[in-house]
Amino acid sequence: MSATTTATAPDARAPHVVALAPSVHAFLQPDGGWCLNNAGFLGDARESLLVDTAATERRARLLREAVLAKGLPLPGTIVSTHHHGDHTYGNGVFLPEARIVGHENCRSEQLAAGHQLHLLWPRTDFGAIDIVAPSVTYRERLTLYVGGIEVRVLHPGPAHTTGDSIVHLPEQGVVFTGDLVFQGGTPFLPMGSLAGSLRALDVLRSLDAPTVVPGHGRVTDPSAYDATERYLLRVRELAAEGHARGATPLETARRADLGEFAAWRESERLVANLHRAYAELAGLPEASPLDPVAVFGDMAAMNGGVPVACHA
């Protein structure tokens, strides 16, 4: 009588770590949809730095375990690429060891937003979440040295939000873009700027980093900038056509042909991005507040009448 052993395949949806360079790793959360962001960490046996955290206490603890599993100490510094809860809700898991670093607008936006994800997705189990905003802020650029690695943090101007940070490791050729790039996913602009997002791509290109860690989706290369740019220019084109016809953002989104971008995740974000593009066409300042009820209501309409779902 013989026994049969059935191998269990790894869960492709589980968070996992990817080595990017010596002592530098990305923490990826497939498939990069709503609230499934990426993070990163680097350092040596003495000290470490973390780029972003996660949307839930459980996922932040998985990130914590991943750092320790690579032989690094708990991070003494966390750089928040922007204030959104999927990138910052887990900050408290790393206290009291870590100080939080971010753009000055990231701090004010995070404090103003509070438990915003709880309002959007009241049925999601986020765990024990304290709002922990940056205690160290900068305005234009900041350089840190952690474990012998030079970490350049720079603000591209209003783009995904008004408080975005790019994290660049020049010697390793690695850049963490935050949500300036969604690899395989649709950009999200209602809290930032369409024009600014295009400018931010030029900033990213200027860094000449061959390894690109997007805010969501798989690790990629600078070709992601070109794809994102084509999408943003398509949004600008659709907005100009719709605005000239007197159509609403929702009407414009419903009749739009997305072409190569139709297969990107969260295609319903198109209408949110059109709201931002319409505001800029109307001459409003970049990152002027939009009506969140109108934006998320229109996304639900584009999502078959169902509110967008948190996947964390």
Side-chain angles (χ1 to χ4, degrees):
M1 183 175 181
S2 61
T4 301
T5 301
T6 302
T8 302
D11 185 352
R13 299 166 298 174
H16 60 276
V17 173
V18 174
L20 306 174
S23 303
V24 180
H25 299 82
F27 179 82
L28 306 183
Q29 298 194 92
D31 64 354
W34 286 104
C35 288
L36 293 176
N37 67 299
N38 295 330
F41 56 92
L42 57 93
D44 59 17
R46 296 177 297 107
E47 57 183 351
S48 71
L49 176 146
L50 187 60
V51 181
D52 286 335
T53 55
T56 68
E57 179 188 9
R58 180 182 68 84
R59 287 177 177 273
R61 292 195 180 281
L62 291 175
L63 173 57
R64 189 178 188 274
E65 292 169 8
V67 173
L68 295 175
K70 292 299 179 181
L72 301 181
L74 289 174
T77 302
I78 296 173
V79 178
S80 292
T81 61
H82 60 291
H83 76 279
H84 287 161
D86 52 336
H87 295 255
T88 61
Y89 259 19
N91 287 359
V93 166
F94 296 90
L95 297 183
E97 292 85 1
R99 62 178 178 173
I100 314 299
V101 175
H103 187 264
E104 59 187 14
N105 289 349
C106 176
R107 173 179 169 82
S108 59
E109 287 174 328
Q110 189 177 350
L111 292 173
H115 290 88
Q116 195 171 59
L117 297 189
H118 288 68
L119 300 177
L120 291 172
W121 293 292
R123 297 184 179 181
T124 296
D125 181 8
F126 290 104
I129 298 297
D130 294 322
I131 301 303
V132 183
S135 58
V136 178
T137 64
Y138 75 98
R139 183 164 296 174
E140 294 182 1
R141 59 183 60 235
L142 174 71
T143 302
L144 305 166
Y145 293 88
V146 178
I149 297 174
E150 180 182 356
V151 182
R152 296 179 182 175
V153 185
L154 58 150
H155 176 54
H160 177 62
T161 69
T162 71
D164 295 313
S165 289
I166 295 166
V167 180
H168 179 215
L169 313 181
E171 293 185 13
Q172 289 73 25
V174 175
V175 64
F176 295 88
T177 71
D179 284 358
L180 302 177
V181 175
F182 290 77
Q183 177 64 10
T186 304
F188 191 57
L189 309 177
M191 298 176 192
S193 167
L194 172 55
S197 293
L198 287 165
R199 292 195 300 269
L201 293 174
D202 288 335
V203 174
L204 287 166
R205 289 186 178 103
S206 73
L207 302 177
D208 199 28
T211 301
V212 176
V213 184
H216 297 252
R218 63 175 178 81
V219 175
T220 184
D221 57 48
S223 66
Y225 307 152
D226 298 334
T228 301
E229 182 177 63
R230 291 195 302 273
Y231 174 85
L232 296 177
L233 292 174
R234 179 60 176 151
V235 171
R236 175 180 280 177
E237 179 183 40
L238 290 169
E241 294 170 356
H243 194 265
R245 290 195 313 270
T248 67
L250 181 57
E251 290 167 342
T252 299
R254 280 178 163 161
R255 65 182 294 174
D257 178 5
L258 281 176
E260 66 175 300
F261 314 112
W264 282 9
R265 294 182 306 273
E266 289 82 45
S267 62
E268 71 276 0
R269 291 178 183 163
L270 171 63
V271 71
N273 297 333
L274 286 169
H275 274 275
R276 173 54 61 198
Y278 271 50
E280 293 182 10
L281 284 170
L284 295 177
E286 292 181 9
S288 294
L290 301 179
D291 180 355
V293 175
V295 169
F296 278 86
D298 281 357
M299 280 199 293
M302 290 292 292
N303 194 42
V306 178
V308 295
C310 173
H311 300 298

